[in-house]
Amino acid sequence: MQARQLPQMVTHEVLNQAQALENYNAYSRNLALQEAVGREGAGWAHDWLVARGAEVGSAEWIEHGRLANTHPPQMRLFDRYGHRRDEVEFHPSWHECLGWLKGHGCDTGPWADPKPGAHVARAAAFVQFAEIEAGSLCPTTMTYGAVPVLKHVPELARDWMPLLLSRQYDRRFIPATDKRGVLIGMGLTEKQGGSDVRANTTRAERLDDASWRIVGHKWFLSAPMCDAFLVTAQTPKGLSCFFVPRWTPDGRLNEIRIQRFKDKLGDRSNAGTEAEFWGATAWLVGEEGRGIPTVLEMGVYTRLDCALGSTGLLRAALSQALHHAGQRAAFGKLLRQQPLMMNVLADMALESEAATALSLRLARAFDAQDDEREALLRRLLTPVAKLWICKRCPTVVAEAMEVHGGNGYVEEGPMPRLFRQSPLNSIWEGSGNVMCLDALRALTKQSKSADVLAAEFAGALGQNAAFDRHVAQLQLDLRDSVGIEASARRLTQDIALAVQAALLLRFAPQPVSEAFCASRLGGDWGQVLGTLGRQTDFETILQRAWPQ
Ligand SMILES: Cc1cc2nc3c(=O)[nH]c(=O)nc-3n(C[C@H](O)[C@H](O)[C@H](O)COP(=O)(O)OP(=O)(O)OC[C@H]3O[C@@H](n4cnc5c(N)ncnc54)[C@H](O)[C@@H]3O)c2cc1C
C-alpha cells in the first residue's frame, strides 16, 4: 500500500520560540543580590547561597513550584465515619517546598544558629525561593516571626522551641509532641476588621488550670495545617494574644473548626481558610490586654518577609522577561536588541536592583538586634520597604508579562502565576495605607528616626544633583507635620526612593545609579516603565541583570 502524502500545511517547524529558563544558577547570576549579601554582612554564606541558587534554578525545583500550584490543597473536614478532621491535604510538591524552606532554616535559621549576617543569609535564600514558589513562604514567615514572641513565654518555649528551631519538616497531622519539627500560623483578621484588630470580637475565658478557652471566628486563617497559631481575642483587660495548638496536650484535636477555603486570586498552593473556635484550648502570650504590641512583634518579621518575597517575585519576572527577550526575534532582530524593548527591560532591572538593595539593607537591621541605631532604622524602614517594594511588584510583573507577548498570558508559562501572586504582599500583614501610617508613627514617636535616616544618605550626598535635591526636600517634608496623614503615601515613597538611591549611588555601577536617580528622582521618566532617558546606558544595565 502506498504511504499517504500529508499536505505540506499539516506539518511545520516550531521557530522563534524561547526555551524555558531552567537549569541555571539563580544566585550566581543575580549580581545585585550577591553584592548586597556581601556588603550587609553575610559574605560567609556565599557558597551556601550558590548551592541554593543551583537548586532554585533547577528544572526539578521549578517543577515542584508549578505542581504545588496546579494541584491546590483539598479540604478533608470529616473522616469517612463522620468524625471531624479539619484537615487539609496537599500535593507532595507542597511538602517538598516546605521541606526545602525548613531544611535550609528559612523559618527559624537565624534563631537556631545566631551569628552576624544570619538574617541576611536567610533573607537571600528566602528571596530566591520566592522566585519559584510563594505560597509556602506564608507558614515559613509566620514561624520566623513567632519565635521572638514565644521566647517570652518560658512554659511554651520549653516544649515548643526545640521543634521550632528544628530543621526537619514533619508533614504528619499529629500532636506536636510526636513530631520532629513544627510550623506556626496566626489568626488576627475577623469579618468586621483586619487592619483594626481592636475590633476583634473573639473572646477568651480563663480556666482554673491557667489555660484559656477561645470562642469566636477568624475570617482569614492561612496555612491551617500549622501546628499552632497565635490568635488575638478579647479578655476583660482588652485584646490579648494567645497560643492555640492544633492538638491539645492530652492528644485531642483542638476545637478549631475550618469552615471553608478562600477562593483566592493567587497563592493557590497555600490553603487560605475561614475558621471558628468552639472553645479552643489556648495559653496567654505576653501581658493580658497587650495583644497588639505582642502580635506587632511578630508582624515586624512578617513585614520584612513581604518586602523580601516581592523582591523575589520582581527578580523572577525580570529574569523571565530578559530570558525571553534574548531568544525571541521580531522584525528581524532579537527583542533584546530593539532599542525600545531595551528601555523597558532596563527600567525593570533598575526596579529589581533597587528592591534588592533596600530589602537586604533592611534585613541587616534585623541582624543587629541590640544596636539602637539599627533598631530605629528597622522600625522605620520595615513599613517603608514593605509599602514600596510590594507596590512596585505588580507593575513590574505586568510589564514582564507583556514582554512575552501572548505567551505571557498563557497558564503553561510562569507569568500568570507571578502576576496573580504579585499584589498579595501589599495587602496582607498590614495593607499599603496601614504601612504608611505606621511609618509616620515611627517618625513621630521616635524623634531620632529622622537622624538615623539622614545618616543612611550621608555617604551618597554630593554625587548626584537629583539625589541631593530629593534628600533636601525630604528633610523639609519630615519637619512639616501639616496635613501629614493625607500625604503619608507620598512621604513613605520619598523615603523609600531616597534609601534606594543612596544604596545604588554607594554600591551599584554608575550607569545603574545614574539612570535610577535621573528617572525616579530627577523627573526624566514617564508614567509607564520603559521611559528612561535617551542618555541611559541600557546595555550595561541589561548585562548586569542578565539571569544566565
Ligand atoms: C490570601 C490572604 C491570606 C491571609 N491570611 C491571613 C492569616 O493567616 N491571618 C490573618 O490574621 N489574616 C490574614 N489575612 C488577612 C489580611 O491580613 C487582611 O486582609 C489585611 O490585614 C487587611 O484587613 P481587612 O481585609 O480587614 O481590610 P480593612 O482593614 O478593612 O482595610 C481595607 C483598606 O483600608 C485601608 N485602611 C485601613 N485603615 C486605614 C486608615 N486608618 N486610613 C487609611 N486607610 C486605611 C487598608 O490599607 C486597606 O487598603 C489574609 C489575607 C489574604 C488576602
Side-chain angles (χ1 to χ4, degrees), residues 138 142 186-190 193-196 220-222 264 267 424 427-434 437 485:
C138 168
M142 292 190 289
M186 67 181 186
L188 317 181
T189 308
E190 298 187 359
S195 308
D196 187 2
F220 281 93
L221 192 82
S222 291
K264 297 171 291 177
D267 206 48
L424 180 54
I427 294 175
W428 64 12
E429 301 303 322
S431 308
N433 286 354
V434 173
L437 297 175
E485 185 168 330

Side-chain angles (χ1 to χ4, degrees), residues 299-448:
V300 180
Y301 292 89
T302 55
R303 287 169 182 177
L304 162 69
D305 280 358
C306 288
L308 293 169
S310 289
T311 299
L313 293 175
L314 268 168
R315 172 68 192 173
L318 172 68
S319 298
Q320 293 293 340
L322 291 171
H323 179 76
H324 183 84
Q327 299 196 9
R328 176 82 167 180
F331 301 99
K333 258 202 290 193
L334 286 174
L335 293 176
R336 185 238 185 279
Q337 295 162 337
Q338 311 275 2
L340 182 51
M341 182 58 92
M342 288 173 78
N343 196 329
V344 173
L345 295 169
D347 218 352
M348 291 194 290
L350 294 182
E351 210 58 56
S352 174
E353 173 135 11
T356 306
L358 175 57
S359 60
L360 270 282
R361 171 64 189 93
L362 177 60
R364 170 149 71 92
F366 284 74
D367 266 317
Q369 291 281 330
D370 301 326
D371 181 319
E372 190 201 355
R373 201 181 151 277
E374 289 292 307
L376 287 167
L377 206 62
R378 183 167 69 235
R379 173 70 190 88
L380 175 61
L381 275 194
T382 303
V384 168
K386 180 184 184 296
L387 179 275
W388 188 242
I389 296 172
C390 300
K391 280 279 171 231
R392 297 304 294 153
C393 187
T395 305
V396 174
V397 175
E399 199 63 67
M401 180 187 279
E402 191 168 326
V403 170
H404 291 74
N407 284 355
Y409 202 67
V410 174
E411 288 286 348
E412 278 176 310
M415 295 315 300
R417 172 149 64 95
L418 288 173
F419 185 66
R420 286 194 299 268
Q421 192 74 30
S422 65
L424 180 54
N425 281 327
S426 189
I427 294 175
W428 64 12
E429 301 303 322
S431 308
N433 286 354
V434 173
M435 286 303 91
C436 299
L437 297 175
D438 194 44
L440 272 194
R441 242 188 324 274
L443 283 164
T444 46
K445 282 199 166 172
Q446 283 150 332
S447 55
K448 286 194 211 152

Side-chain angles (χ1 to χ4, degrees), residues 21-26 53-63 132:
L21 175 61
E22 57 190 24
N23 295 325
Y24 71 111
N25 192 308
E55 288 162 1
V56 164
S58 70
E60 181 192 351
W61 279 98
I62 292 169
E63 182 66 355
I132 57 165

Side-chain angles (χ1 to χ4, degrees), residues 216-292:
H217 77 280
K218 293 293 163 183
W219 185 229
F220 281 93
L221 192 82
S222 291
M225 295 308 287
C226 285
D227 299 278
F229 297 87
L230 290 177
V231 169
T232 43
Q234 302 287 356
T235 75
K237 289 191 180 165
L239 192 76
S240 307
C241 178
F242 293 90
F243 182 81
V244 187
R246 258 327 213 88
W247 298 78
T248 60
D250 58 2
R252 282 180 300 110
L253 254 185
N254 207 354
E255 296 294 334
I256 305 170
R257 304 267 166 99
I258 296 175
Q259 300 301 299
R260 59 174 174 166
F261 273 165
K262 293 290 191 194
D263 186 6
K264 297 171 291 177
L265 170 69
D267 206 48
R268 297 256 178 92
S269 62
N270 187 12
T273 64
E274 296 164 20
E276 289 179 355
F277 294 74
W278 290 28
T281 304
W283 284 267
L284 183 66
V285 176
E287 215 179 303
E288 188 182 344
R290 305 258 314 144
I292 291 180

